[in-house]
Amino acid sequence: MHLAADSTSLYGQLLRCYTEPHRHYHSQQHIHACLKLLDAVRSLASRPDEIALAIWFHDAIYDTHQADNEEQSACWAERFLREHHGNDAVIQRVARMIRATAGHDAADDADTALMLDIDLSILGASAEVFDQYDQAIRGEYAWVDEAAYRVGRAKVLQQFLQRPVIYLTPALRQRFEVQARVNLQRAIAALAG
């Protein structure tokens, strides 16, 4: 989905957000990769345009010093959709998808599950692509000293690895689950080394 022509100013605002200098992974490349995957699995979505909106907004606010980025991003999406006469049900669904990215561990509906799986697809990328992602995340947390980063990052990755399944949708689980577990185990071992 492309943002409508009458939302050019919003598109510009979002692009400015996704090109902020502190973003190494959570950038416009991440958004484009998510949208490309959504296009490939569009038939799995009940409301693909709403998933696309959630993708565009889900990392709009991104500051590694803060813990409420997803909430702020969801509020921005809600404000924009209300200002443009959005349907209340649509606003709630889009905001719920964005908020679900805070933990990536719960989905109330199939579209939210699909959106979360798309967002986490990087975990199941090839080893080379995953390693680039992992280095980019370190860049976003450059302000954290190495020892603290290793402990914190290992904890986050271990939480994904301990789940019965990382991917909530069968199609994306089949496509990414095995490689994601290999990548996560390797990354955790490297952080411990």
Side-chain angles (χ1 to χ4, degrees), residues 10 13-14 17 57 60-61 72-80:
L10 172 70
Q13 289 174 41
L14 288 169
C17 288
F57 275 102
I61 307 298
Q72 287 187 47
S73 296
C75 288
W76 183 7
E78 288 172 328
R79 282 191 309 273
F80 172 78

Side-chain angles (χ1 to χ4, degrees), residues 169-185:
T169 54
L172 293 185
R173 185 178 315 130
Q174 182 177 8
R175 182 171 174 180
F176 294 119
E177 186 84 20
V178 171
Q179 185 62 44
R181 291 189 176 279
V182 169
N183 287 336
L184 290 169
Q185 289 168 344

Side-chain angles (χ1 to χ4, degrees), residues 21 40-41 63-64 68 77 101 105 132-134 141 152 167 171 177 180 187:
V41 298
D63 179 350
T64 58
D68 66 344
T101 65
D105 56 0
Q132 291 169 356
Y133 148 78
D134 209 35
Y141 286 87
Y167 298 96
E177 186 84 20

Side-chain angles (χ1 to χ4, degrees), residues 22-192:
H22 64 276
R23 293 175 185 254
H24 300 269
Y25 172 71
H26 293 89
S27 65
Q28 64 184 3
Q29 288 81 11
H30 169 55
I31 299 306
H32 291 154
C34 288
L35 292 170
K36 183 178 179 182
L37 181 53
L38 173 59
D39 283 345
V41 298
R42 194 171 187 85
S43 64
L44 301 176
S46 297
R47 297 177 179 93
D49 289 346
E50 291 178 17
I51 296 174
L53 276 170
I55 287 170
W56 269 108
F57 275 102
H58 83 285
D59 287 325
I61 307 298
Y62 186 74
D63 179 350
T64 58
H65 294 86
Q66 303 299 321
D68 66 344
N69 293 315
E70 296 83 3
E71 181 60 29
Q72 287 187 47
S73 296
C75 288
W76 183 7
E78 288 172 328
R79 282 191 309 273
F80 172 78
L81 292 171
R82 278 198 188 96
E83 289 168 7
H84 292 82
H85 311 291
N87 175 293
D88 282 344
V90 171
I91 293 168
Q92 289 173 10
R93 286 190 298 265
V94 170
R96 185 172 58 240
M97 282 188 260
I98 296 166
R99 288 185 173 104
T101 65
H104 288 93
D105 56 0
D108 296 335
D109 61 88
D111 278 355
T112 300
L114 182 60
M115 192 273 187
L116 294 177
D117 285 357
I118 289 169
D119 191 32
L120 291 179
S121 62
I122 190 68
L123 299 180
S126 68
E128 179 184 356
V129 172
F130 177 88
D131 289 347
Q132 291 169 356
Y133 148 78
D134 209 35
Q135 290 170 358
I137 295 295
R138 181 62 180 116
E140 292 180 344
Y141 286 87
W143 57 273
V144 178
D145 74 76
E146 186 66 21
Y149 179 81
R150 285 175 176 263
V151 170
R153 182 72 174 150
K155 182 179 177 184
V156 168
L157 299 181
Q158 190 66 44
Q159 288 171 345
F160 284 114
L161 197 56
Q162 288 175 340
R163 293 179 183 182
V165 294
I166 297 168
Y167 298 96
L168 304 171
T169 54
L172 293 185
R173 185 178 315 130
Q174 182 177 8
R175 182 171 174 180
F176 294 119
E177 186 84 20
V178 171
Q179 185 62 44
R181 291 189 176 279
V182 169
N183 287 336
L184 290 169
Q185 289 168 344
R186 193 169 47 80
I188 291 167
L191 288 163

